[in-house]
Coordinates of all heavy atoms in Angstrom, one line a residue:
M30 N -1.7 -12.0 26.4 CA -1.0 -11.1 25.6 C 0.4 -10.7 26.2 O 1.4 -10.6 25.5 CB -1.9 -9.8 25.5 CG -1.4 -8.8 24.6 SD -1.5 -9.5 22.9 CE -1.1 -8.2 21.9
E31 N 0.4 -10.7 27.4 CA 1.8 -10.4 28.2 C 2.8 -11.5 27.8 O 4.0 -11.2 27.6 CB 1.6 -10.3 29.7 CG 2.8 -10.0 30.4 CD 2.6 -9.9 32.0 OE1 1.5 -9.9 32.4 OE2 3.6 -9.8 32.6
L32 N 2.3 -12.8 27.9 CA 3.3 -13.9 27.6 C 3.8 -13.7 26.1 O 5.0 -13.9 25.8 CB 2.5 -15.2 27.8 CG 3.3 -16.5 27.5 CD1 4.6 -16.4 28.4 CD2 2.5 -17.7 27.8
L33 N 2.9 -13.4 25.2 CA 3.3 -13.2 23.8 C 4.4 -12.1 23.7 O 5.4 -12.2 23.0 CB 2.2 -12.9 23.0 CG 2.5 -12.5 21.5 CD1 3.1 -13.7 20.7 CD2 1.2 -11.9 20.7
W34 N 4.1 -11.0 24.4 CA 5.1 -9.8 24.4 C 6.4 -10.2 25.0 O 7.4 -9.9 24.4 CB 4.4 -8.7 25.2 CG 5.2 -7.4 25.1 CD1 6.0 -6.9 26.2 CD2 5.6 -6.6 24.0 NE1 6.7 -5.8 25.8 CE2 6.4 -5.6 24.4 CE3 5.1 -6.6 22.8 CZ2 6.8 -4.6 23.6 CZ3 5.6 -5.6 21.9 CH2 6.4 -4.6 22.4
K35 N 6.4 -11.0 26.1 CA 7.7 -11.3 26.7 C 8.4 -12.3 25.8 O 9.6 -12.2 25.7 CB 7.4 -12.1 28.1 CG 7.0 -11.1 29.2 CD 6.8 -11.7 30.5 CE 6.4 -10.8 31.5 NZ 6.1 -11.5 32.9
T36 N 7.7 -13.2 25.2 CA 8.4 -14.1 24.3 C 9.0 -13.4 23.0 O 10.1 -13.7 22.7 CB 7.4 -15.2 23.7 OG1 6.8 -15.8 24.8 CG2 8.0 -16.1 22.8
Y37 N 8.2 -12.4 22.5 CA 8.7 -11.6 21.4 C 9.9 -10.8 21.8 O 11.0 -10.8 21.1 CB 7.6 -10.7 20.9 CG 8.1 -9.8 19.7 CD1 8.0 -10.4 18.4 CD2 8.3 -8.5 19.9 CE1 8.3 -9.6 17.3 CE2 8.7 -7.7 18.8 CZ 8.7 -8.2 17.6 OH 9.1 -7.5 16.5
N38 N 9.9 -10.2 22.9 CA 11.1 -9.4 23.4 C 12.2 -10.3 23.8 O 13.4 -9.8 23.8 CB 10.7 -8.5 24.5 CG 9.9 -7.2 24.1 OD1 10.1 -6.8 22.9 ND2 9.1 -6.7 24.9
G39 N 12.0 -11.5 24.2 CA 13.1 -12.4 24.6 C 13.7 -13.3 23.5 O 14.7 -14.0 23.7
R40 N 13.3 -13.0 22.3 CA 13.8 -13.8 21.2 C 15.3 -13.4 20.9 O 15.7 -12.3 21.3 CB 13.0 -13.6 19.9 CG 13.1 -12.4 19.2 CD 12.1 -12.2 18.1 NE 12.3 -11.1 17.3 CZ 12.1 -9.8 17.6 NH1 11.5 -9.6 18.7 NH2 12.3 -8.8 16.7
R41 N 16.1 -14.3 20.3 CA 17.4 -14.0 20.0 C 17.8 -14.3 18.5 O 16.9 -14.9 17.8 CB 18.4 -14.9 20.9 CG 18.0 -16.4 20.8 CD 18.9 -17.1 21.8 NE 18.5 -18.5 21.8 CZ 18.9 -19.5 20.9 NH1 19.7 -19.0 19.9 NH2 18.5 -20.7 21.0
D42 N 18.9 -13.8 18.1 CA 19.3 -14.1 16.7 C 19.5 -15.5 16.5 O 19.9 -16.4 17.4 CB 20.7 -13.2 16.4 CG 20.4 -11.8 16.4 OD1 19.2 -11.3 16.2 OD2 21.3 -11.0 16.6
L43 N 19.5 -15.9 15.3 CA 19.7 -17.3 14.9 C 21.2 -17.7 14.9 O 21.6 -18.8 15.0 CB 19.1 -17.6 13.4 CG 17.6 -17.6 13.3 CD1 17.3 -17.7 11.9 CD2 17.1 -18.7 14.2
N44 N 22.1 -16.7 14.7 CA 23.5 -16.9 14.8 C 24.0 -18.0 13.8 O 24.5 -19.1 14.0 CB 24.1 -17.2 16.2 CG 23.8 -16.1 17.1 OD1 23.9 -14.9 16.8 ND2 23.6 -16.5 18.4
L45 N 23.6 -17.7 12.5 CA 23.9 -18.7 11.5 C 25.3 -18.5 10.9 O 25.8 -17.4 10.8 CB 23.0 -18.6 10.3 CG 21.5 -18.9 10.6 CD1 20.6 -18.5 9.4 CD2 21.3 -20.4 10.9
D46 N 25.9 -19.5 10.5 CA 27.1 -19.5 9.7 C 27.1 -20.6 8.8 O 26.3 -21.5 8.8 CB 28.4 -19.4 10.6 CG 28.6 -20.6 11.4 OD1 28.0 -21.7 11.2 OD2 29.4 -20.6 12.4
R47 N 28.0 -20.7 7.8 CA 28.0 -21.7 6.7 C 28.5 -23.1 7.2 O 28.3 -24.1 6.6 CB 28.8 -21.3 5.6 CG 28.2 -20.2 4.8 CD 28.9 -20.0 3.5 NE 28.3 -18.8 2.9 CZ 28.0 -18.8 1.6 NH1 28.2 -19.8 0.9 NH2 27.3 -17.7 1.2
N48 N 29.1 -23.2 8.4 CA 29.5 -24.4 9.0 C 28.3 -25.2 9.7 O 28.3 -26.3 9.7 CB 30.6 -24.2 10.0 CG 31.8 -23.7 9.4 OD1 32.1 -24.0 8.2 ND2 32.6 -22.9 10.2
Y49 N 27.4 -24.3 10.2 CA 26.2 -24.9 10.8 C 24.9 -24.3 10.2 O 24.8 -23.1 10.2 CB 26.2 -24.5 12.2 CG 24.9 -25.2 13.0 CD1 24.8 -26.5 13.3 CD2 23.9 -24.3 13.3 CE1 23.7 -26.9 13.9 CE2 22.7 -24.8 13.9 CZ 22.6 -26.1 14.3 OH 21.5 -26.6 14.8
T50 N 24.2 -25.1 9.5 CA 23.0 -24.5 8.8 C 21.9 -25.5 8.8 O 22.0 -26.6 9.5 CB 23.4 -24.3 7.3 OG1 22.3 -23.6 6.7 CG2 23.8 -25.6 6.5
F51 N 20.8 -25.2 8.4 CA 19.6 -26.0 8.3 C 19.8 -27.2 7.6 O 20.6 -27.3 6.6 CB 18.4 -25.2 7.8 CG 17.9 -24.1 8.6 CD1 18.2 -22.9 8.3 CD2 17.2 -24.3 9.8 CE1 17.8 -21.7 9.0 CE2 16.8 -23.3 10.6 CZ 17.1 -22.0 10.2
K52 N 19.2 -28.4 8.1 CA 19.5 -29.6 7.3 C 18.4 -29.9 6.2 O 18.3 -30.9 5.7 CB 19.4 -30.7 8.3 CG 20.5 -30.6 9.4 CD 20.9 -31.8 10.0 CE 22.0 -31.7 11.1 NZ 23.0 -30.7 10.9
C53 N 17.5 -28.8 6.0 CA 16.5 -29.0 5.0 C 16.6 -27.8 4.1 O 17.2 -26.8 4.4 CB 15.0 -29.0 5.8 SG 14.7 -27.4 6.6
P54 N 15.9 -28.0 2.9 CA 16.0 -26.9 1.9 C 15.2 -25.6 2.4 O 14.2 -25.8 3.2 CB 15.3 -27.4 0.7 CG 15.4 -28.8 0.8 CD 15.4 -29.1 2.3
V55 N 15.7 -24.5 2.2 CA 15.1 -23.3 2.7 C 14.8 -22.3 1.5 O 15.7 -22.2 0.7 CB 16.1 -22.5 3.7 CG1 15.5 -21.2 4.2 CG2 16.4 -23.4 4.9
M56 N 13.6 -21.7 1.5 CA 13.3 -20.7 0.5 C 13.1 -19.3 1.3 O 12.1 -19.2 2.0 CB 12.0 -21.1 -0.3 CG 11.8 -20.1 -1.4 SD 10.5 -20.6 -2.6 CE 9.1 -19.7 -2.0
L57 N 13.9 -18.3 1.0 CA 13.7 -17.0 1.6 C 13.0 -16.1 0.6 O 13.4 -16.0 -0.5 CB 15.0 -16.4 2.0 CG 15.9 -17.2 3.0 CD1 17.3 -16.6 3.1 CD2 15.2 -17.0 4.4
V58 N 11.9 -15.5 1.0 CA 11.2 -14.6 0.1 C 11.1 -13.3 0.8 O 10.8 -13.1 1.9 CB 9.8 -15.2 -0.2 CG1 9.0 -14.3 -1.1 CG2 9.9 -16.5 -0.7
V59 N 11.4 -12.2 0.0 CA 11.3 -10.9 0.5 C 10.8 -9.9 -0.6 O 11.1 -10.2 -1.8 CB 12.7 -10.4 1.1 CG1 13.7 -10.3 -0.1 CG2 12.7 -9.1 1.8
G60 N 10.0 -8.9 -0.2 CA 9.5 -8.0 -1.2 C 10.6 -6.9 -1.3 O 11.4 -6.7 -0.6
D61 N 10.5 -6.2 -2.5 CA 11.5 -5.2 -2.8 C 11.4 -4.0 -1.9 O 12.4 -3.3 -1.8 CB 11.4 -4.9 -4.3 CG 10.0 -4.2 -4.6 OD1 9.1 -4.3 -3.8 OD2 9.9 -3.7 -5.8
Q62 N 10.3 -3.7 -1.4 CA 10.1 -2.6 -0.5 C 10.1 -3.0 1.0 O 9.6 -2.2 1.8 CB 9.0 -1.7 -0.9 CG 9.1 -1.2 -2.3 CD 10.2 -0.2 -2.5 OE1 10.5 0.6 -1.6 NE2 10.9 -0.3 -3.6
A63 N 10.4 -4.2 1.4 CA 10.3 -4.6 2.7 C 11.2 -4.0 3.7 O 12.4 -3.8 3.3 CB 10.4 -6.2 2.8
P64 N 10.8 -3.7 4.9 CA 11.8 -3.0 5.8 C 12.9 -4.0 6.3 O 13.9 -3.5 6.8 CB 10.9 -2.6 7.0 CG 9.6 -3.4 6.9 CD 9.4 -3.8 5.4
Y65 N 12.7 -5.2 6.1 CA 13.7 -6.2 6.6 C 14.4 -6.8 5.5 O 15.0 -8.0 5.5 CB 12.9 -7.3 7.3 CG 11.7 -7.9 6.6 CD1 11.8 -8.9 5.6 CD2 10.3 -7.5 6.8 CE1 10.6 -9.3 5.0 CE2 9.3 -7.9 6.2 CZ 9.4 -8.9 5.2 OH 8.3 -9.3 4.5
E66 N 14.5 -6.2 4.3 CA 15.1 -6.7 3.2 C 16.6 -6.9 3.5 O 17.2 -8.0 3.0 CB 15.0 -5.7 2.0 CG 15.7 -6.1 0.6 CD 15.6 -5.0 -0.4 OE1 14.9 -4.1 -0.1 OE2 16.2 -5.3 -1.4
D67 N 17.3 -6.0 4.1 CA 18.7 -6.2 4.4 C 18.9 -7.4 5.3 O 19.9 -8.0 5.1 CB 19.3 -4.8 5.1 CG 19.3 -3.8 4.1 OD1 19.3 -4.0 2.8 OD2 19.2 -2.6 4.6
A68 N 18.1 -7.6 6.2 CA 18.2 -8.8 7.2 C 18.0 -10.0 6.4 O 18.8 -11.0 6.7 CB 17.2 -8.6 8.2
A69 N 17.2 -10.1 5.4 CA 17.0 -11.2 4.6 C 18.1 -11.6 3.7 O 18.6 -12.7 3.6 CB 15.7 -11.1 3.7
V70 N 18.8 -10.5 3.1 CA 19.9 -10.6 2.4 C 21.2 -11.2 3.1 O 21.9 -12.1 2.8 CB 20.2 -9.3 1.7 CG1 21.6 -9.4 0.9 CG2 19.2 -9.0 0.6
E71 N 21.2 -10.6 4.4 CA 22.3 -11.0 5.3 C 22.1 -12.5 5.8 O 22.9 -13.3 5.8 CB 22.4 -10.1 6.6 CG 23.4 -10.5 7.5 CD 23.4 -9.6 8.8 OE1 22.7 -8.6 8.8 OE2 24.1 -10.1 9.7
C72 N 20.8 -12.9 6.0 CA 20.6 -14.2 6.4 C 21.0 -15.2 5.3 O 21.5 -16.2 5.5 CB 19.2 -14.4 6.8 SG 18.7 -16.1 7.3
N73 N 20.6 -14.8 4.0 CA 20.9 -15.6 2.9 C 22.4 -15.8 2.6 O 22.9 -16.9 2.3 CB 20.3 -15.0 1.6 CG 20.4 -15.8 0.4 OD1 20.2 -17.1 0.4 ND2 21.0 -15.2 -0.6
S74 N 23.2 -14.8 3.0 CA 24.7 -14.8 2.8 C 25.3 -15.7 3.7 O 26.3 -16.2 3.5 CB 25.2 -13.4 2.9 OG 25.2 -13.0 4.2
K75 N 24.6 -16.1 4.9 CA 25.2 -16.9 5.8 C 24.8 -18.3 5.7 O 25.3 -19.2 6.5 CB 24.7 -16.4 7.3 CG 25.3 -15.1 7.7 CD 24.9 -14.6 9.0 CE 25.6 -13.3 9.4 NZ 25.1 -12.9 10.7
M76 N 23.9 -18.6 4.8 CA 23.4 -20.0 4.7 C 24.1 -20.7 3.6 O 24.7 -20.1 2.6 CB 21.8 -20.0 4.5 CG 21.1 -19.4 5.7 SD 19.4 -19.4 5.7 CE 19.1 -21.2 5.8
D77 N 24.0 -22.0 3.5 CA 24.6 -22.9 2.4 C 23.8 -22.6 1.1 O 22.6 -22.9 1.1 CB 24.4 -24.4 2.9 CG 25.0 -25.3 1.9 OD1 25.8 -24.9 1.0 OD2 24.8 -26.5 2.0
P78 N 24.5 -22.2 0.1 CA 23.9 -21.9 -1.1 C 23.4 -23.1 -1.9 O 22.5 -23.0 -2.8 CB 24.9 -21.1 -1.9 CG 26.3 -21.4 -1.3 CD 25.9 -21.8 0.1
T79 N 23.8 -24.3 -1.6 CA 23.3 -25.4 -2.2 C 21.9 -25.8 -1.7 O 21.3 -26.5 -2.5 CB 24.3 -26.7 -2.1 OG1 24.3 -27.0 -0.7 CG2 25.6 -26.2 -2.6
S80 N 21.5 -25.4 -0.6 CA 20.2 -25.8 0.0 C 19.2 -24.6 0.2 O 18.3 -24.7 0.8 CB 20.3 -26.6 1.2 OG 21.0 -25.8 2.2
T81 N 19.7 -23.4 -0.3 CA 18.9 -22.2 -0.1 C 18.5 -21.5 -1.4 O 19.4 -21.4 -2.3 CB 19.7 -21.2 0.7 OG1 20.2 -21.9 2.0 CG2 18.9 -20.1 1.2
S82 N 17.4 -21.2 -1.4 CA 16.8 -20.4 -2.6 C 16.4 -19.0 -2.1 O 15.7 -18.9 -1.0 CB 15.6 -21.0 -3.3 OG 15.9 -22.3 -3.8
F83 N 16.8 -17.9 -2.8 CA 16.4 -16.6 -2.3 C 15.7 -15.9 -3.3 O 15.9 -15.9 -4.6 CB 17.7 -15.7 -2.0 CG 17.5 -14.4 -1.6 CD1 17.0 -14.2 -0.2 CD2 17.6 -13.3 -2.4 CE1 16.8 -12.9 0.2 CE2 17.4 -12.0 -2.0 CZ 16.9 -11.8 -0.7
L84 N 14.5 -15.4 -3.1 CA 13.6 -14.8 -4.0 C 13.3 -13.4 -3.6 O 12.7 -13.2 -2.5 CB 12.3 -15.5 -4.2 CG 11.2 -14.9 -5.0 CD1 11.7 -14.9 -6.5 CD2 10.0 -15.8 -5.0
K85 N 13.7 -12.4 -4.3 CA 13.4 -10.9 -4.1 C 12.3 -10.5 -5.1 O 12.7 -10.5 -6.3 CB 14.6 -10.1 -4.2 CG 14.3 -8.6 -3.9 CD 15.6 -7.9 -3.9 CE 15.5 -6.4 -3.7 NZ 16.7 -5.6 -3.8
M86 N 11.1 -10.4 -4.7 CA 10.0 -10.0 -5.5 C 9.9 -8.6 -5.8 O 9.7 -7.8 -4.9 CB 8.7 -10.7 -5.0 CG 8.7 -12.2 -4.8 SD 7.2 -12.8 -4.3 CE 6.2 -12.5 -5.7
A87 N 9.9 -8.2 -7.1 CA 9.6 -6.9 -7.5 C 8.2 -6.6 -7.4 O 7.3 -7.4 -7.6 CB 10.2 -6.6 -9.0
D88 N 7.8 -5.3 -7.2 CA 6.5 -4.8 -7.1 C 5.6 -5.6 -6.1 O 4.5 -5.7 -6.2 CB 5.7 -4.9 -8.5 CG 6.5 -4.0 -9.5 OD1 7.0 -3.0 -9.1 OD2 6.4 -4.4 -10.7
A89 N 6.2 -6.0 -4.9 CA 5.6 -6.7 -4.0 C 5.5 -6.0 -2.7 O 4.8 -6.4 -1.8 CB 6.3 -8.1 -3.7
G90 N 6.2 -4.8 -2.6 CA 6.1 -4.1 -1.3 C 6.7 -4.9 -0.2 O 7.7 -5.6 -0.3
G91 N 6.1 -4.9 0.9 CA 6.6 -5.6 2.2 C 6.0 -6.9 2.4 O 6.5 -7.6 3.2
L92 N 4.9 -7.2 1.7 CA 4.1 -8.4 2.0 C 3.9 -9.2 0.6 O 2.8 -9.1 0.1 CB 2.8 -8.2 2.7 CG 3.0 -7.5 4.1 CD1 1.6 -7.1 4.6 CD2 3.6 -8.5 5.0
P93 N 4.8 -9.9 0.1 CA 4.7 -10.5 -1.1 C 3.5 -11.5 -1.2 O 2.9 -11.7 -2.2 CB 6.0 -11.1 -1.5 CG 6.7 -11.1 -0.3 CD 6.2 -10.1 0.6
Q94 N 3.3 -12.2 0.0 CA 2.2 -13.2 0.0 C 0.8 -12.5 -0.2 O -0.1 -13.2 -0.5 CB 2.3 -14.0 1.3 CG 1.9 -13.2 2.5 CD 3.1 -12.5 3.2 OE1 4.1 -12.2 2.5 NE2 3.0 -12.2 4.5
L95 N 0.7 -11.2 0.1 CA -0.6 -10.5 -0.1 C -0.7 -9.8 -1.4 O -1.7 -9.7 -2.0 CB -0.8 -9.6 1.1 CG -1.0 -10.1 2.5 CD1 -1.1 -9.1 3.5 CD2 -2.1 -11.1 2.6
T96 N 0.4 -9.2 -1.8 CA 0.4 -8.4 -3.0 C 0.6 -9.3 -4.4 O 0.1 -8.9 -5.4 CB 1.3 -7.3 -3.0 OG1 2.7 -7.8 -2.8 CG2 1.0 -6.3 -1.8
Q97 N 1.4 -10.3 -4.3 CA 1.7 -11.0 -5.4 C 1.5 -12.6 -5.1 O 2.5 -13.4 -5.3 CB 3.2 -10.9 -5.8 CG 3.5 -9.4 -6.3 CD 2.9 -9.0 -7.6 OE1 2.7 -10.0 -8.4 NE2 2.9 -7.7 -7.9
P98 N 0.4 -13.1 -4.7 CA 0.2 -14.5 -4.3 C 0.4 -15.4 -5.5 O 0.9 -16.6 -5.2 CB -1.3 -14.6 -3.8 CG -2.0 -13.3 -4.3 CD -0.8 -12.3 -4.6
A99 N 0.0 -15.1 -6.7 CA 0.2 -15.9 -7.8 C 1.7 -16.2 -8.1 O 2.1 -17.4 -8.3 CB -0.5 -15.5 -9.1
K100 N 2.4 -15.1 -8.1 CA 3.9 -15.3 -8.4 C 4.6 -16.1 -7.3 O 5.5 -16.9 -7.5 CB 4.6 -13.9 -8.4 CG 4.3 -13.2 -9.7 CD 5.0 -11.8 -9.9 CE 4.7 -11.1 -11.1 NZ 5.4 -9.8 -11.2
L101 N 4.1 -15.9 -6.0 CA 4.7 -16.5 -4.9 C 4.4 -18.1 -4.9 O 5.2 -18.9 -4.7 CB 4.3 -15.9 -3.5 CG 4.9 -16.5 -2.3 CD1 6.4 -16.4 -2.3 CD2 4.3 -15.8 -1.1
T102 N 3.2 -18.3 -5.4 CA 2.7 -19.7 -5.6 C 3.5 -20.5 -6.5 O 3.9 -21.6 -6.4 CB 1.2 -19.8 -5.9 OG1 0.4 -19.1 -4.8 CG2 0.7 -21.2 -6.0
E103 N 3.8 -19.7 -7.7 CA 4.5 -20.3 -8.8 C 6.1 -20.5 -8.3 O 6.6 -21.6 -8.6 CB 4.6 -19.4 -9.9 CG 5.3 -20.0 -11.1 CD 5.2 -19.0 -12.4 OE1 4.6 -18.0 -12.3 OE2 5.8 -19.5 -13.4
A104 N 6.6 -19.6 -7.6 CA 7.9 -19.8 -7.1 C 8.0 -21.1 -6.0 O 8.9 -21.8 -6.1 CB 8.4 -18.5 -6.5
F105 N 7.0 -21.1 -5.2 CA 6.9 -22.2 -4.3 C 6.9 -23.6 -5.0 O 7.4 -24.5 -4.6 CB 5.8 -22.0 -3.3 CG 5.8 -23.0 -2.2 CD1 6.8 -23.0 -1.2 CD2 4.8 -23.9 -2.0 CE1 6.9 -23.9 -0.2 CE2 4.8 -24.9 -1.1 CZ 5.9 -24.9 -0.1
K106 N 6.1 -23.5 -6.1 CA 5.9 -24.7 -6.9 C 7.2 -25.2 -7.5 O 7.6 -26.5 -7.4 CB 4.9 -24.5 -8.0 CG 4.6 -25.8 -8.9 CD 3.7 -25.5 -10.1 CE 4.3 -24.7 -11.1 NZ 3.5 -24.6 -12.3
Y107 N 8.0 -24.2 -8.0 CA 9.4 -24.6 -8.6 C 10.3 -25.0 -7.4 O 11.1 -25.9 -7.6 CB 9.9 -23.4 -9.4 CG 9.1 -23.1 -10.7 CD1 8.8 -21.9 -11.0 CD2 8.8 -24.2 -11.5 CE1 8.1 -21.7 -12.2 CE2 8.1 -24.0 -12.7 CZ 7.8 -22.7 -13.0 OH 7.0 -22.4 -14.2
F108 N 10.2 -24.4 -6.3 CA 11.1 -24.8 -5.2 C 10.8 -26.2 -4.8 O 11.7 -27.1 -4.6 CB 10.8 -23.9 -4.0 CG 11.5 -24.2 -2.8 CD1 12.9 -24.1 -2.7 CD2 10.9 -24.7 -1.6 CE1 13.6 -24.3 -1.5 CE2 11.6 -25.0 -0.5 CZ 12.9 -24.8 -0.4
I109 N 9.5 -26.6 -4.7 CA 9.1 -28.0 -4.3 C 9.6 -29.0 -5.5 O 10.0 -30.1 -5.2 CB 7.5 -28.1 -4.2 CG1 7.2 -27.2 -3.0 CG2 7.1 -29.5 -4.0 CD1 7.7 -27.7 -1.6
Q110 N 9.4 -28.6 -6.7 CA 9.8 -29.5 -7.8 C 11.3 -29.6 -7.8 O 11.8 -30.7 -8.1 CB 9.4 -28.8 -9.2 CG 8.0 -28.9 -9.6 CD 7.7 -28.3 -10.8 OE1 8.5 -27.5 -11.5 NE2 6.4 -28.6 -11.4
G111 N 12.1 -28.6 -7.4 CA 13.6 -28.8 -7.3 C 14.0 -29.8 -6.2 O 15.0 -30.3 -6.3
M112 N 13.1 -30.0 -5.2 CA 13.3 -31.0 -4.2 C 13.0 -32.4 -4.7 O 13.2 -33.4 -4.0 CB 12.6 -30.7 -2.9 CG 13.1 -29.4 -2.2 SD 12.5 -29.1 -0.6 CE 10.7 -29.2 -0.8
G113 N 12.3 -32.5 -5.9 CA 12.1 -33.9 -6.4 C 10.6 -34.2 -6.3 O 10.2 -35.4 -6.5
Y114 N 9.8 -33.3 -5.9 CA 8.3 -33.6 -5.7 C 7.5 -33.1 -6.9 O 7.9 -32.3 -7.6 CB 7.7 -32.9 -4.5 CG 8.2 -33.5 -3.2 CD1 9.3 -32.8 -2.5 CD2 8.0 -34.7 -2.7 CE1 9.9 -33.3 -1.3 CE2 8.5 -35.3 -1.5 CZ 9.4 -34.5 -0.9 OH 10.0 -35.0 0.3

């Protein structure tokens, strides 16, 4: 447990900018009442919009994967289809 705690406390920011971004498609999902909503919006603004999808789910609270699993599954299906699968 101590190792997990040290790792968690030692993490650093991703330091993203539009010149250096992920080389794979990214889907960011956030609930409308999530405490980290502002951080997700800021992260989305720093990423390449051609390879990033941002989904803000209404009525999902802070955990859309638990409160709206069907909507999240549908969004993920469309995200995968957009990649050609």
Side-chain angles (χ1 to χ4, degrees):
M30 190 68 174
E31 181 183 352
L32 182 59
L33 174 66
W34 183 252
K35 285 181 180 179
T36 303
Y37 180 79
N38 282 335
R40 72 189 192 282
R41 56 186 172 79
D42 289 339
L43 291 175
N44 296 327
L45 296 174
D46 61 16
R47 289 192 186 225
N48 296 329
Y49 177 79
T50 187
F51 293 104
K52 301 201 183 327
C53 61
V55 176
M56 183 170 102
L57 297 170
V58 180
V59 66
D61 61 346
Q62 300 296 322
Y65 49 83
E66 178 184 355
D67 293 336
V70 171
E71 180 183 347
C72 182
N73 183 53
S74 70
K75 294 180 179 179
M76 298 184 74
D77 181 13
T79 62
S80 64
T81 305
S82 296
F83 182 76
L84 175 63
K85 182 176 174 182
M86 296 185 70
D88 300 328
L92 297 169
Q94 68 273 23
L95 298 178
T96 57
Q97 300 285 341
K100 288 183 181 179
L101 184 59
T102 303
E103 184 178 358
F105 188 67
K106 179 180 80 170
Y107 291 134
F108 177 72
I109 296 295
Q110 284 179 348
M112 293 189 310
Y114 294 102

